[in-house]
Amino acid sequence: MKIALMDSGIGLLPAAAAVRRLRPDADLVLSWDPDGMPWGPRTPEDITQRALAVAEAAAAHEPDVLIVACNTASVHSLPVMRARFEPDLPIIGTVPAIKPAAAGGGHVAIWATPATTGSAYQRNLIEQFAAGVAVTEVPCPGLADAVHHADRSAIDAAIASAAARTPEDVTTVVLGCTNYELVAESIRAAVQRPGRPPLALHGSAGAVAAQALRRIGAEPDPAAVADTTLRVLLSGREATLPDTALSYQEGRFLQAVSTVR
């Protein structure tokens, strides 16, 4: 099988690594947009145009399913993308993990890009799955871009800024941007308060990978063995995994277990 993932940047790495762990025998196509990122500050119309171009580049390689591993693109572009590609190519969106986070019953903070924070899409998810639960939306300007460029000082500064705006009684943080999953432990360390119970973090990579398999009728098979490939497309251009991707554990894992073509 062949599974494609798209994003504005390297936030697709956690979902790609989750797919690889569930199905080591799946070929992967990773398509992102270094020429246009970050998408967060763009208008919804511009985001949709960029997302369609990145998706078209991935679809040209005839995958069985396409994961939109980007919260911002999912918030603004999923209806247009599904109209363009389905039913021939199933499209799997990435939804902030508000439902499982709210199930814990504590105060939930949703860290997301400015484009996702306050959007009607996210507000609807809060109303649907977190009614009666204390929820604080925390916009994180600059964090996704800093993670994409593996700029450690900028990452630390953006995390510190968002942590300062996160209420002290928060028990759970939703990582509402896929890039944030790459620095999850740094976020945990910044938000965890002394004397408080261990902070719960909720990302989306594992759930999205599992849903992609379900949509194409495939079961997880972590023991499967195959000589699989990893194809990288940067704004539509054939490439290899850049050094920024390899600065994260997920990128190094993907390169170690796949032949990059």
Side-chain angles (χ1 to χ4, degrees):
M1 73 184 74
K2 184 183 294 184
I3 297 176
L5 301 95
M6 60 149 288
D7 192 358
S8 60
I10 61 176
L12 51 67
L13 293 176
V19 169
R20 174 60 78 235
R21 291 186 176 97
L22 290 176
R23 288 303 299 244
D25 56 338
D27 290 326
L28 298 181
V29 178
L30 310 186
S31 181
W32 70 82
D33 186 30
D35 292 356
M37 83 89 56
W39 287 355
R42 293 178 176 273
T43 65
E45 295 77 17
D46 198 12
I47 291 168
T48 296
Q49 183 180 23
R50 305 295 307 192
L52 282 172
V54 173
E56 291 279 6
H61 293 274
E62 301 183 338
D64 298 299
V65 61
L66 173 62
I67 296 172
V68 182
C70 176
N71 294 92
T72 297
S74 296
V75 164
H76 295 291
S77 310
L78 273 184
V80 174
M81 295 183 68
R82 284 177 170 147
R84 166 65 183 85
F85 295 107
E86 290 187 337
D88 295 334
L89 177 60
I91 303 295
I92 309 299
T94 299
V95 177
I98 295 170
K99 182 177 182 179
H107 191 166
V108 176
I110 304 172
W111 284 33
T113 64
T116 300
T117 301
S119 66
Y121 185 86
Q122 181 161 293
R123 291 287 168 83
N124 288 337
L125 289 173
I126 293 169
E127 292 175 5
Q128 184 177 359
F129 297 119
V133 175
V135 175
T136 299
E137 296 179 273
V138 181
C140 305
L143 181 53
D145 195 29
V147 172
H148 176 76
H149 290 102
D151 184 336
R152 193 68 244 183
S153 62
I155 291 169
D156 291 342
I159 289 176
S161 175
R165 291 178 281 109
T166 301
E168 291 193 6
D169 65 341
V170 158
T171 61
T172 304
V173 174
V174 175
L175 303 176
C177 170
T178 53
N179 282 37
Y180 303 171
E181 296 187 50
L182 292 168
V183 292
E185 290 312 308
S186 295
I187 292 172
R188 184 193 304 278
V191 179
Q192 180 70 57
R193 310 298 183 188
R196 300 282 300 174
L199 187 73
L201 297 182
H202 287 270
S204 56
V208 166
Q211 175 64 8
L213 293 181
R214 283 193 292 269
R215 281 290 301 274
I216 60 175
E219 295 290 334
D221 186 6
V225 177
D227 180 18
T228 52
T229 61
L230 176 68
R231 191 176 298 275
V232 177
L233 306 171
L234 303 183
S235 298
R237 303 181 297 272
E238 297 269 353
T240 58
L241 282 171
D243 290 342
T244 49
L246 298 177
S247 69
Y248 297 105
Q249 178 182 354
E250 291 87 344
R252 294 191 297 272
F253 165 71
L254 288 167
Q255 178 164 272
V257 300
S258 306
T259 301
V260 180
R261 292 181 182 170

